Amino acid sequence: MARTMTYREALNEALVQEMERDQSVIVMGEDNAGGAGGPGEQDAWGGVLGVTKGLYPRFPDRVLDTPISESGFIGAAIGAATRGMRPVAELMFVDFLGVCFDQIYNQAAKFRYMFGGKAVTPVVIRTMYGGGLRAAAQHSQALYPIFTHVPGLKVVLPSSPYDAKGLLIQAVRDDDPVIFCEHKALYDTVGEVPEEPYTIPFGEAGIVRDGEDATIVALGRMVAVAVEAADDLAPSGVSCDVIDLRTTSPLDEDTILESVENTGRLIVVDEASPRCGMAADIASLAAREAFGALRAPVQTVTPPHTPVPFSDALEDLYLPDAQRVANTVKDVMNRER
Amino acid sequence: MTETLPVTAGVLDERRLLDAYRTMRTIRMFEERVHEEFATGEIPGFVHLYAGEEASATGVCAHLDERDAISSTHRGHGHCIAKGVDVKAMMAEIYGRATGSCHGKGGSMHIADLSKGMLGANGIVGGGPPLICGAALAAKLQNTGGVGVAFFGDGASNQGTTLEAMNLASVWNVPVVFVAENNGYAEATASSWSVAADSIADRAPAFGMPGVTVDGFDFFAVYEAAGEAVERARAGGGPTLIEVEFTRYFGHFEGDQQTYRTDEVARARAERDCLRSFRARVMDSGLLSAERLDEVDREVALLIDRAVAEAKEAPKPTAADLETDVYISY
């Protein structure tokens, strides 16, 4: 039987294997070793997410705790990347990008272009995003569209333990700056993960369900939501392609368009706010490139344009779920033109 | 808590004295020429000139070699020249030419040469210090003996990035020298107003490092303070903050009417100028002759003439260059 592990363990294994393979890989972030300077230093937290647990005792020189200074250490990771290192920095919650964004979008993202193609900045910024843990407005956002908007960054959103490991190893080996977005509700999900190191190329979406009637494009945790909806629809005779984007930059336009050419219907499920998000972006792609194939208007399933609410009664309404996705697919099926 | 170092002649041999003079003169002539050419309208964009501040970049970078990295500012031409970036490529970059340091994609505010450890002039005030912490961390982990130097202005001394970087450098004990170039004004706002301390160097003890204030018109004072700081960093002794005080000779940007100040530039040029004082010092002490220094002046003038002529003749980037160099692979 194939080995299974959690999304968190898959990420940890990717880091361990890359640190063993390449001395230039270093890890840094708040509590990443955990307890630095205190008696608990050897029994480390491994980050508030627990993803880096156990790395410090194995690689004491290459796992660095940092002060709560996101501009300082995210910038330091970027600077070290220009000088031969492959840093993996942890931005604990993506919501904290506001206190370090300059180093990411004005520095790391622009070096290569701005310096005439001579800069190499192989930095990975791991960050936790998304709702569902009642963490409220400043710890629940899905801000990956902001990174996707910036030329020079690559943006990755693994939806499963298998993808988490393969995409993180690819991110570490990639020579461009990578924003690696981990959904906080996925850390304990379990799936098959091979023991040996492997990579999943960026810009190649996964097709997680094959169907003929509609295309559902999803990313991150919304992939599981889309799959649940597709499974719910199957008994009624509606079969859906479910496409997992895996990366929003680069974006696998071909896989989306091929599917839409086949099904004629497109629903995009995105946990990010609706304005200027991936749902709108992919809807516009279909309008530009697959207009002739569309048999109904493209529909998007996103949260409302509000901050993320705290109360479970509100957050459950805020987040797209399988029922909303299935209802949207049914609506699209009924809007034959 | 800070000390003002005594100014001594130092122990520079003739070759190193000439190198320092040549670097300062190159920066001065480069900037004065860019000032003239900008006025003709031929240079596009935003340009911020370093003239008057030459002793800082030169006095610090005289201690650096290929192991070392520097970050710079929007006023970065002097740092580039002092770290060995090709002057002709710099001028071509300022003119937006394909032969420029960044192939015309960066411009004055983004000249860089990573192969020389010059991590870029930087359009973001306070953008550089965090990057230099990382460069210093890399040097420490790679055991190269290299150091990182973050040049920043009095404006950036108030940015959170700079303060975070100073704390981080001490916490990590990485080899960084922070050089606060206090030219009196952040854009048009006086540092005497914007810095809530007697001096920028006074902030050093709060971040667990020594701080000194030096006369930025005096190459030897900067050289001596920087030498001590670089030596301490290389030996694993941690970071230092050096505040360098002087006056910038031109406006914040080219075109600045400078209504916020009166006669201080004229006085500085007449009484304090770093090139004038350097010449006087080395000639009075018999280390270099006027003839030898004048020869350097002529050589530099020729280099700048050629740099401008070649930049004006050089091709601009083409449509084929617009979408290249964003990613290594995409």
Side-chain angles (χ1 to χ4, degrees):
Chain A
M1 201 176 108
R3 186 185 65 147
T4 60
M5 61 181 2
T6 65
Y7 187 91
R8 176 188 290 104
E9 289 163 344
L11 293 165
N12 183 276
E13 185 167 273
L15 291 172
V16 168
Q17 290 179 346
E18 286 305 284
M19 292 183 86
E20 279 174 346
R21 185 188 63 83
D22 184 348
Q23 292 287 316
S24 69
V25 178
I26 59 175
V27 164
M28 65 176 76
E30 291 149 11
D31 312 306
N32 267 19
E41 189 165 274
Q42 292 297 326
D43 182 22
W45 256 27
V48 71
L49 327 176
V51 171
T52 57
K53 176 84 175 163
L55 296 185
Y56 178 66
R58 293 180 75 156
F59 311 102
D61 298 333
R62 290 192 281 144
V63 179
L64 287 89
D65 271 346
T66 69
I68 300 181
S69 302
E70 283 86 1
S71 279
F73 78 80
I74 296 286
I78 292 160
T82 69
R83 302 290 288 170
M85 307 305 288
R86 289 188 175 272
V88 181
E90 182 178 287
L91 178 62
M92 189 188 294
F93 288 84
V94 73
D95 313 75
F96 305 163
L97 77 82
V99 290
C100 63
F101 198 34
D102 181 71
Q103 293 292 322
I104 298 170
Y105 89 108
N106 266 328
Q107 311 296 336
K110 293 185 172 56
F111 284 167
R112 186 152 185 90
Y113 193 84
M114 199 163 68
F115 300 160
K118 285 176 281 189
V120 183
T121 313
V123 67
V124 180
I125 298 168
R126 292 181 40 248
T127 188
M128 173 165 57
Y129 79 98
L133 267 68
R134 320 310 184 199
Q138 294 176 342
H139 289 74
S140 299
Q141 296 168 88
L143 298 174
Y144 44 82
I146 293 176
F147 299 110
T148 307
H149 183 71
V150 178
L153 301 178
K154 292 176 175 173
V155 184
V156 183
L157 297 102
S159 65
S160 68
Y162 179 88
D163 280 11
K165 179 174 172 181
L167 288 168
L168 185 52
I169 292 178
Q170 174 60 35
V172 172
R173 296 182 188 179
D174 201 280
D175 285 328
D176 292 307
V178 176
I179 310 298
F180 194 89
C181 303
E182 303 164 7
H183 198 292
K184 61 173 75 66
L186 291 179
Y187 282 119
D188 292 320
T189 58
V190 176
E192 291 183 7
V193 178
E195 284 180 36
E196 69 278 7
Y198 59 94
T199 59
I200 297 172
F202 294 164
E204 290 189 14
I207 300 174
V208 290
R209 282 288 186 282
D210 274 319
E212 293 176 355
D213 300 312
T215 301
I216 309 177
V217 172
L219 62 168
R221 195 177 80 81
M222 290 298 110
V223 172
V225 170
V227 166
E228 188 185 342
D231 290 348
D232 290 348
L233 288 163
S236 63
V238 176
S239 73
C240 300
D241 263 357
V242 178
I243 295 173
D244 175 358
L245 289 179
R246 284 188 175 139
T247 61
T248 58
S249 179
L251 180 67
D252 184 355
E253 299 186 354
D254 291 345
T255 296
I256 298 167
L257 293 171
E258 280 166 25
S259 175
V260 173
E261 292 286 346
N262 185 44
T263 64
R265 300 180 186 88
L266 175 62
I267 297 91
V268 190
V269 189
D270 187 2
E271 192 180 327
S273 302
R275 299 280 87 81
C276 295
M278 291 314 297
D281 191 284
I282 291 165
S284 103
L285 170 73
R288 290 194 316 273
E289 305 290 339
F291 187 73
L294 287 171
R295 298 164 66 183
V298 177
Q299 292 297 312
T300 62
V301 183
T302 70
H305 199 59
T306 71
V308 184
F310 165 63
S311 170
D312 57 350
L314 294 177
E315 194 184 27
D316 289 347
L317 290 171
Y318 173 92
L319 292 169
D321 60 17
Q323 186 66 51
R324 270 181 66 197
V325 175
N327 288 343
T328 305
V329 173
K330 284 180 199 162
D331 181 54
V332 169
M333 296 302 296
N334 291 331
R335 293 177 67 177
E336 203 74 25
R337 70 173 187 186
Chain B
M1 290 297 287
T2 60
E3 55 176 313
T4 300
L5 290 171
V7 178
T8 59
V11 284
L12 288 154
D13 61 21
E14 184 182 317
R15 183 186 59 81
R16 302 198 69 184
L17 285 171
L18 273 174
D19 283 348
Y21 181 73
R22 183 185 304 276
T23 300
M24 291 201 292
R25 182 61 75 193
T26 303
I27 297 169
R28 175 67 55 88
M29 285 190 176
F30 188 98
E31 299 294 61
E32 290 189 328
R33 186 63 180 270
V34 170
H35 176 74
E36 287 169 22
E37 298 290 337
F38 189 90
T40 70
E42 220 178 321
I43 294 175
F46 300 161
V47 173
H48 311 80
L49 301 178
Y50 193 74
E53 308 186 15
E54 293 87 350
S56 174
T58 308
V60 174
C61 291
H63 297 282
L64 306 183
D65 58 41
E66 69 281 355
R67 297 170 294 173
D68 306 318
I70 67 168
S71 66
S72 175
T73 72
H74 56 286
R75 199 174 305 289
H77 303 167
H79 307 129
C80 290
I81 291 169
K83 196 67 172 70
V85 179
D86 183 76
V87 167
K88 289 179 175 177
M90 286 178 60
M91 191 66 84
E93 186 61 35
I94 289 168
Y95 274 85
R97 306 297 164 147
T99 54
S101 312
C102 310
H103 302 165
K105 287 178 167 173
S108 166
M109 267 191 287
H110 306 300
I111 297 173
D113 187 342
L114 286 101
S115 71
K116 296 263 172 39
M118 202 294 163
L119 304 190
N122 206 311
I124 306 300
V125 171
L131 300 171
I132 273 304
C133 284
L137 175 67
K140 183 178 174 180
L141 292 172
Q142 293 159 350
N143 285 315
T144 63
V147 303
V149 176
F151 289 101
F152 57 96
D154 46 286
S157 79
N158 296 323
Q159 277 281 29
T161 45
T162 305
L163 306 172
E164 286 189 24
M166 286 201 278
N167 188 62
L168 186 63
S170 274
V171 168
W172 278 352
N173 189 32
V174 287
V176 179
V177 180
F178 294 95
V179 181
E181 298 184 323
N182 185 351
N183 63 23
Y185 294 91
E187 301 190 351
T189 298
S191 59
S192 58
W193 179 84
S194 68
V195 176
D198 289 341
S199 75
I200 295 169
D202 276 354
R203 292 175 172 171
F207 298 106
M209 67 181 78
V212 295
T213 301
V214 297
D215 176 1
F217 290 110
D218 182 348
F219 165 82
F220 296 99
V222 176
Y223 180 84
E224 196 167 298
E228 194 180 303
V230 169
E231 190 181 339
R232 178 163 48 242
R234 283 201 206 287
T240 302
L241 171 60
I242 301 173
E243 177 184 12
V244 183
E245 293 185 315
F246 39 37
T247 300
R248 65 166 141 77
Y249 285 180
F250 295 114
H252 165 58
F253 56 90
E254 284 310 277
D256 177 4
Q257 296 305 305
Q258 301 180 68
T259 47
Y260 48 87
R261 59 183 183 176
T262 53
D263 63 343
E264 61 201 61
V265 174
R267 279 192 286 113
R269 279 185 182 271
E271 299 165 17
R272 307 295 319 283
D273 185 76
C274 63
L275 279 150
R276 189 194 302 257
S277 69
F278 183 97
R279 283 182 68 109
R281 284 279 288 282
V282 295
M283 283 161 49
D284 289 352
S285 56
L287 292 166
L288 290 173
S289 66
E291 292 72 25
R292 190 71 191 88
L293 295 164
D294 291 345
E295 192 186 331
V296 170
D297 291 355
R298 286 192 297 275
E299 289 166 359
V300 171
L302 198 61
L303 172 67
I304 301 300
D305 277 347
R306 284 187 182 146
V308 171
E310 288 178 20
K312 289 181 176 180
E313 290 296 313
K316 289 188 174 175
T318 67
D321 301 309
L322 178 63
E323 294 186 42
T324 59
D325 299 331
V326 182
Y327 295 93
I328 292 169
S329 62
Y330 196 60

